[in-house]
Amino acid sequence: MFDLTGKVALVTGASRGLGRAMAIAFAAQGADVAVNYRGNRDAAGETVDAIRAAGRRAEIIQGDTSQGRDGCEAIVTAAIDAFGTVDILVNNAGITRDNLLMRMGAEEWDAVLSTNLSGPFWMTRAIARPMMKARSGRIINMSSAAGRMGNPGQANYAAAKAGLIGLTKTTARELASRGITCNAIAPGLIETDLTADLPEAAAEAITTLTPMGYAGSAEDVAAAAVYFASDEARYVTGQVIGVDGGMVMGS
Ligand code: NAD
């Protein structure tokens, strides 16, 4: 089940956190991985080492997904040049710039929207043509429980992650006939560097909303990504799966 042998995955923001865990999980299932990172080459190198230790091929692809069409095309082109194809794209790179609505400035709004929403759009634009030619592909977008239910202090982040769900569903509808699926994962509170700085009271408030009562792990999220990436998920598209301990229960 969920054998990814012979597949190539491109994971954005894969130098740490959920991106790294997904890259390693794909490799464990047999995939080769293009490891995109923006700034920390050493950390990206650690992800690559872990993938190679699992006996799979990994290459580092530097690039900033918030840099619009040209920046994202450069990342996709570099991955295809290195591996010959990309079968699985994970739009994982994301940032937070939290502030209350009344205090949120243009820089905070723009930075989060350009990274968390425009980045996945331009990455999808760039990968769509080669995937359409191949008549197969898997696109996985990292949304968030905040995008499904809102979160005080995260107007920018919640709006971007909700927008990403709209992008996911539209991509799914437009590309289904070409054998390409597009799905989203909406994690709740997961222990990574992104959430390490969360004030204790905020983390407690989130776990109170979580029926499971504790934060998830990166591996919990990676397991959902492996499923969406697999051949077994061929008939599943336009879906949002909450890996959130039951925080959001959609119908
Ligand atoms: P993280 O901060 O540990 O990792 C994010 C990675 O993305 C970092 O390596 C960072 O350098 C990279 N990145 C940021 N901007 C980039 C850009 N413009 N171009 C390329 N890379 C860039 O965060 P994480 O917890 O691993 O989160 C990964 C994704 O999951 C994000 O989209 C985040 O919003 C989402 N998410 C995380 C949680 C959680 O609880 N950790 C919950 C819901 C959603």
Side-chain angles (χ1 to χ4, degrees), residues 15-16 18 38 64-65 92 143 157 161 188 190 192 194-195:
S15 57
R16 69 179 203 186
L18 303 184
R38 180 185 48 182
D64 183 338
T65 61
N92 166 76
S143 182
Y157 185 82
K161 295 299 189 181
I190 309 293
T192 67
L194 187 80
T195 50

Side-chain angles (χ1 to χ4, degrees), residues 12-20 22 36-40 63-67 75 91-96 114-116 142-146 157 161 164 185-195 221:
T12 66
S15 57
R16 69 179 203 186
L18 303 184
R20 174 185 283 179
M22 289 187 283
N36 162 253
Y37 80 101
R38 180 185 48 182
N40 192 340
D64 183 338
T65 61
S66 71
Q67 295 305 299
I75 294 169
N91 285 312
N92 166 76
I95 59 168
T96 52
S114 62
T115 304
N116 296 9
M142 293 304 298
S143 182
S144 168
Y157 185 82
K161 295 299 189 181
L164 190 52
I185 300 173
L189 183 62
I190 309 293
E191 278 172 356
T192 67
D193 293 329
L194 187 80
T195 50
V221 175

Side-chain angles (χ1 to χ4, degrees), residues 208-227:
T208 303
L209 291 171
T210 305
M212 290 288 186
Y214 60 89
S217 72
E219 287 69 32
D220 294 328
V221 175
V226 165
Y227 169 66

